[in-house]
């Protein structure tokens, strides 16, 4: 238990698994709209990160991205498929970190399904650009921190707690396991 949690009057820790984990992933990733996609996450070394927006999160909690075959992230994944995604939905809530494995394919049907005309910025030959690949990220575990009742209630509880000199935090956190 963290030191701040010792002063917490309310239960603020809830692990989620299975379909509950997928729902939490979709909820928090949806609020964030994009993530930091981290590769080369070996312990004791600097990692590589770049902003990415998933084109789809499926019913199993898998994330689907389109990426150029010659990108550093694709090269990193080919060397080590371990990936971490970091999300922040707002300045005060909706945080999530997911760890898992990424695979790369050139599945034309999936590219067709995920294609958005704005992607022509990166794939100048359109959806038939030979550099387009599909990255599937399959999370295995993670961690989240959120509010139970939204930012307004969380702020009100913090303000009352500050006035009373008590820990009144509306946060909820826990492990995600798929």
């Amino acid at each position: 238990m963290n030191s701040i949690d010792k002063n917490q009057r309310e239960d603020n820790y809830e692990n989620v698994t299975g379909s509950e984990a997928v729902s939490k992933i979709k909820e928090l990733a949806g609020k964030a709209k994009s993530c930091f996609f981290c590769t080369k996450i070996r312990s004791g070394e600097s990692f590589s990160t770049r902003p990415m927006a998933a084109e789809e999160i499926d019913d199993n909690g898998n994330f689907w991205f389109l990426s150029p075959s010659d990108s550093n992230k694709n090269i990193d994944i080919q060397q080590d498929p371990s990936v971490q995604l970091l999300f922040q939905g707002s300045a005060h809530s909706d945080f999530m970190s997911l760890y898992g494995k990424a695979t790369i394919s050139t599945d034309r049907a999936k590219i067709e399904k995920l294609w958005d005309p704005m992607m022509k910025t990166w794939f100048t030959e359109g959806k038939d650009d030979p550099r387009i690949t599909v990255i599937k990220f399959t999370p295995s575990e993670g961690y989240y921190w959120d509010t139970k009742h939204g930012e307004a209630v969380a702020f009100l509880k913090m303000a009352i707690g500050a006035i009373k000199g008590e820990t009144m935090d509306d946060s909820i956190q826990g492990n995600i396991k798929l």
Side-chain angles (χ1 to χ4, degrees):
M1 180 178 285
N2 296 331
S3 63
I4 194 167
D5 295 333
K6 292 177 184 173
N7 295 324
Q8 176 66 273
R9 289 183 173 184
E10 299 177 38
D11 183 22
N12 69 337
Y13 204 88
E14 181 181 345
N15 293 330
V16 291
T17 60
S19 62
E20 199 174 31
V22 172
S23 293
K24 181 60 73 176
I25 287 169
K26 285 184 162 189
E27 172 194 351
L28 296 180
K31 288 179 182 178
K33 301 201 184 346
S34 65
C35 66
F36 285 105
F37 191 107
C38 306
T39 55
K40 296 170 48 177
I41 57 173
R42 296 181 269 302
S43 181
E45 297 180 24
S46 62
F47 60 92
S48 295
T49 189
R50 73 282 293 156
M52 295 281 293
E55 298 305 316
E56 177 186 2
I57 305 169
D58 68 25
D59 291 338
N60 295 315
N62 298 309
F63 288 71
W64 298 87
F65 301 90
L66 294 182
S67 176
S69 58
D70 56 353
S71 70
N72 288 333
K73 99 182 81 36
N74 281 44
I75 293 166
D76 290 348
I77 291 167
Q78 289 168 353
Q79 293 172 357
D80 180 357
S82 299
V83 170
Q84 190 157 12
L85 304 184
L86 306 172
F87 299 84
Q88 181 175 349
S90 76
H92 305 289
S93 65
D94 311 318
F95 302 106
M96 181 170 59
S97 171
L98 295 173
Y99 172 80
K101 301 291 183 187
T103 56
I104 301 170
S105 77
T106 55
D107 181 337
R108 295 305 308 164
K110 196 66 173 179
I111 291 169
E112 189 75 35
K113 180 180 179 189
L114 300 175
W115 180 256
D116 174 334
M118 290 300 291
M119 291 182 179
K120 197 166 181 187
T121 300
W122 298 281
F123 304 106
T124 56
E125 295 181 40
K127 63 183 165 188
D128 296 320
D129 192 311
R131 295 171 43 249
I132 297 177
T133 65
V134 177
I135 295 176
K136 177 185 178 186
F137 170 75
T138 303
S140 57
E141 61 184 296
Y143 179 81
Y144 75 96
W145 184 88
D146 198 9
T147 60
K148 294 179 205 169
H149 305 102
E151 287 189 54
V153 171
F155 178 77
L156 183 61
K157 282 178 137 180
M158 285 190 305
I160 292 169
I163 291 168
K164 294 174 82 176
E166 297 178 11
T167 301
M168 295 181 70
D169 184 355
D170 194 55
S171 68
I172 185 76
Q173 60 185 309
N175 293 313
I176 297 169
K177 187 75 174 161
L178 291 166

